[in-house]
Amino acid sequence: MKTLEDLKRIREEAQQTLKIRLDTGTTITVGMGTCGIAAGARDTMRAILDELAGRDIDAHVATVGCIGMCAREPLVDIQQANQPRVTYGNVLPAMVPRLIEEHLIRGAVIEEWVVGRIEPAVQG
Ligand code: FES
């Protein structure tokens, strides 16, 4: 059984790890082309901003006109330094809390939602 102190320490460590990951640059990009908006990208964007604000996470959120896969909109792309750039497809607002929790907080890619991935450049 963990004491309250243990839990506090674990929480602080997790926050520190997240802070380090975010400090190295996290960008979340939402496709806002016509088809993205038609598929509900505005609501997805709002859900992402709400989730980040609610968890006090400081990540850069950007929009692009078109990511290029109409059928998989809304598309959300997460890029972190030294991590693969991962694009998730058909991201509805209800999926956002899990996305933030697993990808940003725990650093675990949600494989079943992935539509594309670019590995980080290998340093030579
Ligand atoms: S117009 Fe649909 S992905 Fe660009």
Side-chain angles (χ1 to χ4, degrees):
M1 176 91 165
K2 298 211 181 309
T3 66
L4 196 56
E5 281 308 307
D6 287 337
L7 293 174
K8 265 194 208 148
R9 188 177 43 74
I10 291 167
R11 181 162 189 264
E12 274 160 22
E13 282 171 9
Q15 281 172 338
Q16 193 55 31
T17 307
L18 175 66
K19 186 172 174 344
I20 290 166
R21 248 198 340 256
L22 294 176
D23 279 351
T24 57
T26 295
T27 301
I28 301 174
T29 307
V30 184
M32 286 281 203
T34 322
C35 62
I37 289 172
R42 278 208 184 98
D43 290 338
T44 298
M45 177 80 175
R46 209 166 296 129
I48 290 170
L49 294 173
D50 286 352
E51 191 68 21
L52 293 174
R55 289 171 174 271
D56 206 16
I57 294 174
D58 189 17
H60 179 59
V61 181
T63 61
V64 289
C66 167
I67 297 183
M69 281 179 280
C70 290
R72 306 307 297 270
E73 299 278 359
L75 288 158
V76 174
D77 186 291
I78 301 182
Q79 185 164 27
Q80 292 178 298
N82 304 317
Q83 299 294 324
R85 174 176 177 163
V86 179
T87 303
Y88 292 100
N90 304 111
V91 181
L92 300 176
M95 296 156 72
V96 168
R98 184 177 161 201
L99 190 62
I100 300 300
E101 169 71 27
E102 292 193 26
H103 193 123
L104 256 61
I105 309 279
R106 289 203 252 136
V109 173
I110 306 173
E111 299 295 340
E112 69 265 33
W113 296 352
V114 172
V115 296
R117 180 194 313 249
I118 299 173
E119 295 301 325
V122 179
Q123 303 295 314

